[in-house]
Amino acid sequence: MSGELARRHRKVQLVVGLIYLGIPALTLAVSLWTASWTGAVLPGLLLVLGALLFTRQRFRPQRWRMTGALFGAVAGVYLTLVPDNFELLFVLLAVLVSWWIGAGVGVALAAYAERTLLVPVDPELAGTPYELAFRLRGLWGTTLVLGSESVSIHTIPRKLRGANPEDLRRTYPFTKVTGVHEVSLTGSERLRFPIPVTAVHTAGPAVILQAGGDDWVLPTNLAATITQLLQHRVDGASA
């Protein structure tokens, strides 16, 4: 890992630690200072949950925003309710405001960590345990996810009614990937996909992914970098 990527990694993990551990710890400290031990039960449980989730999700950027929003909102509401000498109407308004402020702070921290990690995308990330997700150009709601052991493509249908989750996602172990190529699309190609995808004809770079007998053409402006990331992890799985 280069010096620049190592610096980014340390910064990202610091911010993610603030989300999963710092917010619950701050909530617990304020609760102990302003309330009784019984008032610290919920913050204590939140801290334990944060520690558990941190070990599981610290390298999964797609989880950071949801957790940040949840922990921030819970902390905001709980800290609003700790003082119990306010009128009911004020408390209700304060809870509503603190919910959104807390969630916003959590999401902002997660967005900052994700941007620090992925902007710009460094091919050396292939050698790290991070789960890397990329939105695909011209494919509505479709995301390519490079995990530590597999690659997956999943989409969100425009109409959720009747959608079968199994039909909206494909996951392939890296050992099942037989080809990764960078290509350039003219925009006139009729792209077909193993799952139902809402596609818009778009010219530009793309990645051809061949895995498990399926052929994917994945439009992305990061085709060159994603090809390197994929090929590195595929080679590592087969070594």
Side-chain angles (χ1 to χ4, degrees):
M1 186 183 297
S2 67
E4 172 60 20
L5 186 58
R7 183 191 66 80
R8 289 163 61 183
H9 165 69
R10 290 192 295 270
K11 182 184 292 187
V12 167
Q13 289 302 303
L14 175 61
V15 177
V16 175
L18 287 176
I19 295 171
Y20 284 79
L21 302 173
I23 292 176
L26 176 62
T27 307
L28 178 60
V30 173
S31 298
L32 289 174
W33 181 48
T34 60
S36 63
W37 281 98
T38 57
V41 173
L42 179 60
L45 293 175
L46 192 66
L47 181 58
V48 172
L49 176 62
L52 177 63
L53 291 178
F54 180 71
T55 60
R56 297 183 177 183
Q57 300 180 4
R58 58 182 299 197
F59 297 119
R60 304 183 67 184
Q62 290 191 97
R63 305 288 185 176
W64 297 344
R65 295 196 188 200
M66 182 179 297
T67 303
L70 176 61
F71 279 23
V74 171
V77 170
Y78 192 78
L79 293 180
T80 301
L81 294 176
V82 168
D84 57 1
N85 56 344
F86 297 121
E87 295 182 1
L88 178 60
L89 180 59
F90 177 84
V91 169
L92 291 177
L93 292 175
V95 165
L96 181 62
V97 172
S98 62
W99 171 274
W100 289 107
I101 292 177
V105 170
V107 170
L109 286 172
Y112 175 75
E114 188 174 350
R115 181 175 179 81
T116 300
L117 178 68
L118 295 175
V119 179
V121 180
D122 191 327
E124 285 193 53
L125 285 168
T128 69
Y130 284 102
E131 181 180 87
L132 307 173
F134 303 95
R135 298 297 295 269
L136 298 174
R137 185 187 71 248
L139 305 183
W140 188 88
T142 304
T143 305
L144 171 72
V145 180
L146 309 184
S148 58
E149 299 179 351
S150 63
V151 55
S152 64
I153 302 99
H154 56 84
T155 190
I156 302 173
R158 288 187 180 272
K159 296 182 179 180
L160 295 176
R161 182 176 297 178
N164 185 349
E166 297 299 323
D167 295 334
L168 303 175
R169 182 185 184 98
R170 288 290 187 275
T171 299
Y172 310 95
F174 286 127
T175 53
K176 297 295 184 180
V177 175
T178 55
V180 181
H181 312 284
E182 180 187 357
V183 296
S184 180
L185 302 177
T186 65
S188 61
E189 296 89 352
R190 295 188 62 183
L191 304 180
R192 302 181 65 181
F193 302 94
I195 60 177
V197 172
T198 303
V200 177
H201 296 298
T202 175
V207 175
I208 291 181
L209 172 65
Q210 298 168 314
D214 293 331
D215 291 325
W216 290 88
V217 180
L218 307 173
T220 170
N221 294 334
L222 298 171
T225 302
I226 291 178
T227 299
Q228 294 182 57
L229 292 169
L230 262 170
Q231 194 61 62
H232 185 281
R233 293 195 171 179
V234 169
D235 292 342
S238 59

